[in-house]
Amino acid sequence: MTIPIRFEHAEAAAELIQAWDNAGCNHASVNPNKKPFSIVIPPPNVTGALHLGHGLNNTLQDIVVRTKRMQGFEALWMPGTDHAGIATQAVVERRLKELENKSRHDLGREALVERIWAWKDQYETRILSQLKRMGCSCDWQRTRFTLDPICAAAVRATFFDLFRQSLVYRGKRLVNWDTFLQTAVSDDEVFNETKKGHFYHIFYNVLSPKPGEPKRVEIATTRPETMLGDTAVAVHPDPATAFAKLESDARTKLAAATDKEKAECQAELDAIVQRRDRMLASLELLRDMAHDGRMLELPLAGRQIPLVADVWAKPEMGSGCVKITPAHDPNDYEVGLRCDLPMINILNPDGTINSEGGKYEGLTIAQSRKRVVEDLEAIGQLGDVEDRDIELPHSDRSKTPIEPFLADQWFVKMDTLAQSAMDAVTDERVKIFPERYRKGYLDWLGEKRDWPVSRQLWWGHRIPIWSLHGLSEAAATDLVARLRLLPAHSEGDVLDRIENAEDSTRSVVVCLRQENETLEREIEAMGLVRDPDVLDTWFSSALWPHSTLGWPAKTPELEYFYPTSTLITSRDIITLWVARMVLMGLNNVGQVPFREVFIHPKILDGQGETMSKSKGNGVDPIDVIDKFGPDAMRFGLARLATETQDVRMPVQYECPSCEKLIDQTPKNRSLPRIDCPHCGKPFSTQWAESDEDKLLIKGAVVSERFETARNFVNKLWNAARFALMNFDGYTSEPIDVASLPLEDRWVLSRLSTVTRQVTEAIQRYQFAEASGVLYNFAWDEFCSFYVEIAKPRLSDENQRPTAQRVMAHSLDTLLRLLHPITPFVTESIWKHLGDAAPIRGLDAPTAANPFVMTATWPESNAAHFDPTIERQFAEFQEVIGAIRKIRASQNIAPRETLPVAIHCSESSTQLLQPMRSYLEALAGAEVISLGPDANSFATDAPLAIPSIDITVHVDLEKFIDVQAELSRLEKLLGQLVKQITGKEQKLNNESFVSRAPTEVVDKERESLNELKQQHRTVQSDLQKLKLSTGPKS
RNA sequence: GGGCGCUUAGCUCAGUUGGUUAGAGCAUCUCGUUUACACCGAGAGGGUCGGGGGUUCGAGUCCCUCAGCGCCCACCA
């Protein structure tokens, strides 16, 4: 049998992906004979290609799915992608601007959406192919998209149902308004930028002040033009108590301050006290005026606005008075709600002042600010103007300033829904691992803030609401009556509602259950207009576990695979996504969407920053796969997936022209095109976006973590290759384990332990543990010892058949254990193994499954676990190590056979006796004597192994390097003295001896005795060496 | 400002309920082509466990505190 010396991953992977697919290995269907296991993929955004973070996320899911599949579950991994609302629309809009210098308004709604679909098709294809090349065993036939008809039906059914329950409602809300794109943007798409600005002090006159009352109040603002929308000025309702609290806080802080901070804290306290003394009386007066319902005159606008009492006005700030602009400031909005103030929107969607601004109508914000300030000054209402740095929110998309803007929005009422999702986690119907993430989930839901679900976008699920405003009560009733005559209404597909508007007109609002063009036209013919907004992306993502299974239809898949088994995701979307899936699952299906949630670490770049599209520091998994292979990528990532620590992944680019390595830096990371600093030639990675960059030759992305994993894959391949080269004449026969030689029983014992450890680790999502156990077992035990020891047996005619059978079985088990992590190399070897040893097993050899992927998961066979043999091997390994150390320290050539005498107890003798020949093979030693009577040699360099009370003596007659040995022994002596001193000190410590548990003390005593014994031996060896060699030199 | 993590070898990370001399991989150095593998084998050097304090017979591990880093949330007239 000829097998290449290297595992050709590219070829093998392409073939296997096809073969698994052809055999239907990935497909799961309702199977009453099996227990279901299901996972839904966190659908990647179609904004762009996957990076290594996705690589980790999907590798872990695949490990779990493959394991469960092998464990006999009907394992479904549901794949798909997310339309990602604003992010995708923004990407396409930006491209449109760059390439064609057009805005979305130039194209219009339909044409833009068409463009986005084209983009989606392109990236969905790319994403799915990335997943396939990573080896993900998704059920591709079921691939979903959050905007496809199946998901759309679920969205419509959900919205309709929430509407019926009155859990969706329309309300005013301040949104972050991007005046350039003329859309609301979400909070996380806003960044702050510090700009130079001014802090304007303005006076509002008090209307007919009574004697003793101030004639005007002072307020201050960085945005004076917003005064046009002011509807009140607030003062604190209880300034005395507020000051008292401030003072007591400051005193507490002072008491706890270090000497360094004392002066500062004292100053703070003094300032508060002084301010109170100065201002309390006037603030209380203003408060009384507010309670009295006194009014102020709003300059320029010529309106009267009330003085109100609200805690938002902080007595310690400014004049203690604050202007309230509910329609253009989030906090003022809250005040407006609390004090029942009117909310005056002064802006048009394009950021200019609207008719509410009177003579300022039509001006931009900057223009109106200038004019308002000038006009205030002209009428003497302007106070000081201070220079100040101002943090201004900007839109991440257009890079222009955000204006808080009051707009009609749809909300989902959260109180009962949020509570249900909290309960599900509290009573552990949903278990979160690691547990610390529960807190964030519960805290966030605990706020029960209503969920604003409408977005002023074109890309997404359009809100299924039609409405007509400004009706009289009679007209509204009439319209509703006509709606109710529609056949669809009696079929329960139409819900209607009459709402009272602020101006006491009526609005008729209609919700439709499903898409129906005829019905929509009929409704529109009645004058109803469809809401232009779409739903928040997370609305459709929240349905993902049940929408993908066909809900609202009661499909057999939904019955069988729901609730899904586990969700594997990243921590930043616990609230946005996980929590909402739980509450929507409960609301729609009545059951939690998944029983367990595993939150995995994040992959950071070399600078410790998270990988993201916008930073450009992402690494395309395909670059890693091309260079190292999919198994190496998967193993490398799994090896890093520990419970507590995010993972730094410094990468380098390999120049395809000169093969030199280039570090990834903040400078070059965002460039798909890299100019090699060594040879000057340009190249790109798979990450290339522009057509120009895509034409460049591709350089590899290199990281040490993947190199290690690649080496491991190759090691496994070669161990298997060796075994297979020795499988000629393989026959199968039942094996009596008890009669097997020691090394066979050892490897079976180890396999039983390793199987248990790996099974448990994967069950507990300890992927680093699972891969670590397998790495160490496969490399250090299977390859370094078992295969080595098997060599002589495989060339011995009598021993060969048994050796082959146990080897075939062991390799078989190892491949199955490794398969979930490294599917390709294991499947490739499995095929070769199947050719060489088609029927294998211990008690009852059977024909192997054609694919390891669908083979059964190994059971940990407790009967094979033999602690005596494992101890025996541990001793054996120690002895080999000792001999190798001596050889290295004495510079003994590898070809030379070294005579050794092993001094050990009777029981160790029993253990080691059968291993004598292997000592020779593995350490180049000839065992002269073994046992309690083994003697030292005249020229010796003994090495003690105190933990198992064995001393290895070597005959150095032919090899002695006196100087080396003398210095080695002296160094050893020094170490021993140090340790002995430490122990003696410990044991002389009265409190240690009396308080520590007796076992610990006894152990220390014993260990001290051993050390002393060793010390004596080394000393005498040193003497002997000096004597025996002294005369010669 | 609140919450959650993190800080251990040059680098990337392990380290169970506190208990012998704190581990691994890579990198470095030395030796080596013994019929699977140089993507290999053997060995060596390398650590005040972020700083300070405390609890304890005993602290990388528990508590307090300071510093630095990361993420989430809130806020900034």
Side-chain angles (χ1 to χ4, degrees):
Chain A
M1 180 176 300
T2 55
I3 299 173
I5 201 163
R6 296 272 165 82
F7 172 55
E8 301 294 342
H9 58 78
E11 228 171 274
E15 256 172 52
L16 287 173
I17 289 168
Q18 196 60 55
W20 286 328
D21 203 33
N22 292 345
C25 297
N26 298 340
H27 183 58
S29 48
V30 174
N31 181 347
N33 300 320
K34 284 183 168 186
K35 279 193 192 164
F37 181 88
S38 51
I39 290 188
V40 291
I41 197 171
N45 292 348
V46 289
T47 39
L50 304 185
H51 54 65
L52 270 186
H54 298 103
L56 174 68
N57 175 254
N58 290 292
T59 295
L60 301 185
Q61 292 178 75
D62 197 45
I63 291 172
V64 170
V65 170
R66 283 181 185 269
T67 305
K68 291 291 173 180
R69 190 180 289 121
M70 291 174 76
Q71 286 173 345
F73 291 86
E74 184 70 19
L76 168 66
W77 185 7
M78 177 73 72
T81 51
D82 194 302
H83 69 281
I86 194 165
T88 314
Q89 181 172 328
V91 169
V92 174
E93 277 192 66
R94 199 186 320 132
R95 225 176 135 77
L96 188 67
K97 189 81 195 163
E98 278 166 14
L99 299 182
E100 302 172 39
N101 195 28
K102 284 186 186 161
S103 80
R104 68 180 153 129
H105 298 292
D106 297 330
L107 278 191
R109 186 163 188 153
E110 263 182 49
L112 183 83
V113 168
E114 208 171 289
R115 296 274 186 124
I116 306 175
W117 273 104
W119 174 277
K120 171 259 169 186
D121 288 341
Q122 183 189 342
Y123 275 92
E124 181 186 53
T125 307
R126 171 119 178 245
I127 288 166
L128 295 179
S129 98
Q130 284 177 307
L131 290 172
K132 283 178 187 167
R133 288 203 53 198
M134 283 167 14
C136 295
S137 59
C138 302
D139 190 348
W140 302 110
Q141 301 173 31
R142 298 186 189 271
T143 305
R144 295 274 184 271
F145 176 55
T146 53
L147 216 48
D148 70 19
I150 288 176
C151 293
V155 165
R156 291 290 289 259
T158 304
F159 194 93
F160 191 81
D161 173 60
L162 294 174
F163 188 90
R164 180 174 44 217
Q165 296 186 62
S166 293
L167 289 177
V168 281
Y169 66 94
R170 189 164 44 183
K172 296 276 183 200
R173 182 183 136 97
L174 273 181
V175 294
N176 301 307
W177 192 258
D178 182 328
T179 55
F180 180 79
L181 295 174
Q182 299 197 21
T183 179
V185 296
S186 64
D187 288 345
D188 48 303
E189 287 162 318
V190 172
F191 68 96
N192 284 326
E193 200 166 287
T194 307
K195 292 241 162 117
K196 293 249 176 276
H198 304 286
F199 196 49
Y200 301 88
H201 295 258
I202 306 175
F203 302 107
Y204 292 178
N205 291 341
V206 177
L207 276 175
S208 18
K210 294 179 184 161
E213 286 180 357
K215 292 195 171 52
R216 57 189 197 177
V217 298
E218 180 186 338
I219 53 93
T221 178
T222 55
R223 295 159 64 212
E225 73 284 0
T226 60
M227 64 159 292
L228 298 169
D230 281 4
T231 55
V233 167
V235 291
H236 197 277
D238 187 0
T241 310
F243 273 120
K245 168 129 195 344
L246 285 166
E247 189 184 339
S248 107
D249 287 352
R251 287 195 190 282
T252 314
K253 202 174 153 198
L254 178 63
T258 61
D259 289 347
K260 252 191 288 177
E261 301 159 347
K262 276 233 155 66
E264 203 180 308
C265 290
Q266 184 66 52
E268 240 171 75
L269 177 60
D270 293 346
I272 289 166
V273 173
Q274 278 172 23
R275 187 179 169 90
R276 182 197 57 200
D277 294 347
R278 198 175 71 237
M279 297 192 63
L280 183 55
S282 64
L283 287 175
E284 287 188 326
L285 176 58
L286 283 166
R287 185 262 326 267
D288 294 342
M289 290 165 68
H291 285 156
D292 202 25
R294 305 298 300 279
M295 302 296 279
L296 306 171
E297 186 193 348
L298 184 65
L300 307 182
R303 282 205 316 272
Q304 294 183 4
I305 57 172
L307 191 60
V308 298
D310 189 276
V311 288
W312 169 239
K314 308 254 162 61
E316 72 273 20
M317 304 279 286
S319 66
C321 297
V322 57
K323 70 195 269 296
I324 302 298
T325 324
H328 296 286
D329 181 278
N331 293 304
D332 292 4
Y333 177 66
E334 298 291 326
V335 178
L337 290 180
R338 282 196 293 267
C339 300
D340 202 18
L341 300 172
M343 305 194 177
I344 300 177
N345 184 354
I346 59 164
L347 288 179
N348 291 312
D350 65 359
T352 57
I353 304 288
N354 67 17
S355 59
E356 295 282 357
K359 65 173 179 170
Y360 303 95
E361 181 176 3
L363 298 180
T364 64
I365 288 164
Q367 291 164 339
S368 63
R369 176 171 303 173
K370 191 158 168 276
R371 289 275 298 279
V372 163
V373 172
E374 285 168 5
D375 294 350
L376 283 170
E377 186 160 28
I379 58 172
Q381 300 294 104
L382 185 69
D384 292 343
V385 178
E386 301 168 39
D387 287 336
R388 187 182 269 208
D389 287 338
I390 297 163
E391 289 236 314
L392 261 189
H394 282 67
S395 165
D396 198 32
R397 302 296 166 196
S398 67
K399 314 296 177 198
T400 58
I402 287 287
E403 293 300 328
F405 186 90
L406 199 61
D408 265 329
Q409 301 285 313
W410 287 93
F411 292 83
V412 174
K413 210 165 176 41
M414 287 295 271
D415 53 2
T416 53
L417 289 174
Q419 189 59 50
S420 72
M422 291 171 73
D423 294 345
V425 164
T426 313
D427 63 25
E428 302 210 319
R429 274 172 292 150
V430 174
K431 293 198 190 106
I432 299 179
F433 303 95
E435 225 176 277
R436 65 174 182 278
Y437 291 113
R438 277 170 62 122
K439 187 172 157 49
Y441 173 100
L442 292 172
D443 287 354
W444 186 81
L445 281 173
E447 291 180 20
K448 300 185 177 174
R449 308 235 290 218
D450 288 349
W451 175 16
V453 288
S454 42
R455 294 294 122 100
Q456 291 68 45
L457 290 174
W458 292 349
W459 174 243
H461 292 279
R462 193 141 171 207
I463 292 177
I465 292 283
W466 282 255
S467 47
L468 185 55
H469 303 291
L471 298 170
S472 67
E473 182 154 7
T477 320
D478 173 60
L479 179 53
V480 167
R482 279 189 292 143
L483 280 165
R484 293 188 178 173
L485 291 176
L486 292 168
H489 201 290
S490 46
E491 281 158 25
D493 287 344
V494 181
L495 287 171
D496 56 68
R497 198 190 271 170
I498 297 178
E499 292 177 354
N500 298 326
E502 281 166 26
D503 56 6
S504 71
T505 60
R506 304 284 183 272
S507 300
V508 171
V509 180
V510 174
C511 185
L512 299 190
R513 190 207 288 272
Q514 49 206 344
E515 201 169 323
N516 179 340
E517 265 187 51
T518 324
L519 181 60
E520 289 169 14
R521 235 172 266 134
E522 280 178 286
I523 285 185
E524 280 161 16
M526 295 180 190
L528 289 149
V529 177
R530 182 159 195 184
D531 195 305
D533 289 357
V534 300
L535 287 165
D536 180 11
T537 296
W538 298 108
F539 193 94
S540 53
S541 320
L543 315 180
W544 190 243
H546 55 278
S547 66
T548 51
L549 290 168
W551 185 92
K554 285 196 169 70
T555 61
E557 281 85 358
L558 188 68
E559 287 286 309
Y560 183 70
F561 288 114
Y562 191 95
T564 66
S565 312
T566 182
L567 179 82
I568 297 183
T569 190
S570 160
R571 81 174 90 89
D572 36 13
I573 48 178
I574 294 173
T575 53
L576 294 175
W577 190 45
V578 179
R580 284 166 180 166
M581 278 192 285
V582 175
L583 61 89
M584 283 299 197
L586 287 167
N587 182 69
N588 287 354
V589 194
Q591 284 186 77
V592 294
F594 28 73
R595 305 190 189 285
E596 296 190 349
V597 177
F598 174 66
I599 305 295
H600 59 71
K602 302 193 72 157
I603 303 274
L604 310 176
D605 71 4
Q607 274 76 41
E609 293 182 46
T610 56
M611 288 188 179
S612 77
K613 191 82 192 162
S614 55
K615 282 185 205 150
N617 58 351
V619 170
D620 190 330
I622 299 303
D623 280 321
V624 177
I625 289 172
D626 282 346
K627 173 80 180 172
F628 299 105
D631 293 321
M633 186 199 71
R634 295 167 60 109
F635 193 91
L637 291 173
R639 195 80 184 80
L640 298 174
T642 59
E643 272 183 73
T644 51
Q645 181 101 334
D646 285 341
V647 173
R648 273 194 198 211
M649 176 70 76
V651 298
Q652 295 174 303
Y653 305 114
E654 189 182 66
C655 172
S657 307
C658 67
E659 294 189 352
K660 293 220 169 90
L661 295 178
I662 303 150
D663 288 340
Q664 190 192 48
T665 65
K667 267 188 191 166
N668 68 20
R669 71 181 188 188
S670 59
L671 309 168
R673 173 200 167 108
I674 295 147
D675 294 297
C676 176
H678 304 288
C679 68
K681 291 187 186 149
F683 64 96
S684 82
T685 65
Q686 299 286 342
W687 212 236
E689 280 296 325
S690 74
D691 297 340
E692 194 188 331
D693 290 335
K694 279 182 184 161
L695 292 175
L696 292 169
I697 42 168
K698 299 285 178 283
V701 174
V702 177
S703 167
E704 170 251 304
R705 307 309 300 244
F706 298 122
E707 224 165 277
T708 307
R710 189 264 324 264
N711 294 351
F712 173 69
V713 168
N714 192 245
K715 184 75 181 174
L716 183 73
W717 175 258
N718 271 290
R721 178 167 166 264
F722 169 79
L724 294 166
M725 291 189 320
N726 286 282
F727 274 4
D728 285 349
Y730 174 91
T731 55
S732 67
E733 218 175 76
I735 289 165
D736 173 21
V737 171
S739 70
L740 287 173
L742 197 59
E743 57 272 27
D744 284 343
R745 282 181 287 139
W746 169 72
V747 84
L748 293 177
S749 177
R750 289 297 301 135
L751 272 171
S752 109
T753 306
V754 166
T755 299
R756 182 175 48 75
Q757 288 172 330
V758 171
T759 308
E760 286 173 5
I762 292 177
Q763 180 67 39
R764 289 196 295 251
Y765 305 105
Q766 294 169 342
F767 300 99
E769 171 75 9
S771 34
V773 165
L774 284 165
Y775 183 94
N776 292 326
F777 171 75
W779 200 308
D780 298 335
E781 301 188 301
F782 187 77
C783 294
S784 296
F785 279 91
Y786 187 63
V787 171
E788 288 304 320
I789 289 173
K791 282 177 181 173
R793 293 173 64 212
L794 286 168
S795 51
D796 177 318
E797 206 124 327
N798 293 325
Q799 297 185 62
R800 184 164 57 213
T802 309
Q804 285 175 334
R805 286 169 203 146
V806 180
M807 175 71 79
H809 168 76
S810 310
L811 185 57
D812 173 295
T813 307
L814 179 57
L815 291 175
R816 285 187 281 162
L817 290 173
L818 271 166
H819 178 262
I821 308 180
T822 54
F824 295 106
V825 69
T826 50
E827 193 69 89
S828 297
I829 297 171
W830 186 267
K831 206 166 122 217
H832 288 301
L833 181 61
D835 293 342
I839 295 171
R840 48 189 193 262
L842 295 176
D843 305 335
T846 47
N849 193 293
F851 292 105
V852 64
M853 179 174 174
T854 49
T856 56
W857 185 251
E859 292 275 326
S860 172
N861 188 333
H864 289 173
F865 176 64
D866 188 334
T868 313
I869 291 180
E870 294 209 13
R871 198 167 62 242
Q872 190 165 6
F873 249 74
E875 290 196 6
F876 167 65
Q877 284 166 326
E878 291 268 16
V879 172
I880 286 184
I883 298 172
R884 283 172 173 170
K885 270 184 205 165
I886 297 171
R887 294 187 67 113
S889 70
Q890 300 296 335
N891 293 320
I892 297 169
R895 293 171 180 285
E896 303 282 359
T897 299
L898 179 65
V900 301
I902 300 165
H903 181 94
C904 60
S905 68
E906 193 58 54
S907 64
S908 292
T909 314
Q910 297 292 322
L911 292 175
L912 290 173
Q913 193 60 36
M915 314 298 288
R916 282 176 83 141
S917 62
Y918 299 133
L919 286 173
E920 189 143 352
L922 295 179
E926 182 195 358
V927 182
I928 306 290
S929 56
L930 169 71
D933 305 326
N935 283 323
S936 60
F937 297 98
T939 314
D940 205 343
L943 190 65
I945 315 165
S947 55
I948 48 174
D949 199 19
I950 289 178
T951 302
V952 176
H953 296 276
V954 289
D955 185 356
L956 290 181
E957 188 67 49
K958 293 194 292 183
F959 312 108
I960 187 75
D961 177 343
V962 180
Q963 228 30 61
E965 181 58 7
L966 279 177
S967 65
R968 185 185 74 86
L969 287 177
E970 260 151 20
K971 194 173 153 200
L972 182 60
L973 213 54
Q975 282 172 355
L976 285 168
V977 168
K978 217 166 118 189
Q979 284 172 41
I980 287 169
T981 318
K983 296 254 185 248
E984 277 175 341
Q985 263 169 16
K986 204 172 188 178
L987 284 163
N988 286 338
N989 181 344
E990 185 54 39
S991 48
F992 171 69
V993 178
S994 59
R995 297 204 198 188
T998 43
E999 316 83 90
V1000 174
V1001 178
D1002 288 347
K1003 220 163 131 192
E1004 285 296 303
R1005 284 222 173 84
E1006 204 177 306
S1007 132
L1008 176 62
N1009 285 337
E1010 271 166 22
L1011 285 169
K1012 280 182 169 167
Q1013 174 63 40
Q1014 220 185 318
H1015 183 261
R1016 278 194 293 274
T1017 318
V1018 171
Q1019 213 160 28
S1020 88
D1021 289 339
L1022 198 56
Q1023 284 301 334
K1024 232 160 59 183
L1025 186 65
K1026 278 178 183 164
L1027 285 175
S1028 71
T1029 59
K1032 284 180 205 162
S1033 57

